[in-house]
Amino acid sequence: SHPTRGQLWDWLFQLPLFAALDAADRALVVPPDLHGALPPDRSATAVDSRLVLASYADSTKADELRNLRLLFAWAERARTRGSGARLRWIGREVVEALRARIAERARRMERGGVSWG
């Protein structure tokens, strides 16, 4: 028997990359009608941005790591200027989790004597 669309989505959300998504994020990804096609408007969502930024945290590409550094600087500037509401599109928690991943990665690399590039 073939899996249903609902089973396919369940399987997808069990993958490590998607397992951390909460119900609200999943609702942005799953089409409203499980039997229908994806919505015609496929502009990037906050979930798309989070997934891309998460992949950057594991990257060795200078441009991707630079983009994270720019995000961190922008988020810090928004926080210190009291415009933290500008972070709503991605969430302060996401930015802090990315920052923590980078810091942990740096610690592991320093212990192992591995360079960033």
Side-chain angles (χ1 to χ4, degrees):
S1 143
H2 295 290
T4 66
R5 282 185 185 241
Q7 290 170 326
L8 290 174
W9 286 111
D10 289 342
W11 172 82
L12 179 76
F13 289 123
Q14 291 175 9
L15 295 173
L17 181 65
F18 299 107
L21 296 179
D22 62 21
D25 290 338
R26 289 178 183 194
L28 291 172
V29 175
V30 177
D33 174 10
L34 287 179
H35 301 291
L38 291 174
D41 176 21
R42 290 304 302 151
S43 58
T45 67
V47 173
D48 297 321
S49 297
R50 290 177 200 164
L51 293 173
V52 168
L53 291 170
S55 74
Y56 286 3
D58 297 324
S59 179
T60 58
K61 295 179 181 174
D63 284 345
E64 293 174 355
L65 294 169
R66 189 176 309 109
N67 286 340
L68 282 178
R69 190 171 61 203
L70 290 170
L71 171 70
F72 297 153
W74 174 81
E76 184 62 24
R77 197 168 36 256
R79 187 188 64 76
T80 59
R81 291 183 180 167
S83 58
R86 296 182 67 193
L87 283 174
R88 275 191 232 147
W89 70 275
I90 190 165
R92 176 169 288 135
E93 311 81 30
V94 172
V95 173
E96 292 307 317
L98 288 167
R99 191 184 310 258
R101 278 177 71 177
I102 292 290
E104 177 57 29
R105 180 178 171 197
R107 283 190 292 274
R108 280 194 323 265
M109 294 178 99
E110 288 169 1
R111 282 192 302 259
V114 178
S115 69
W116 281 87

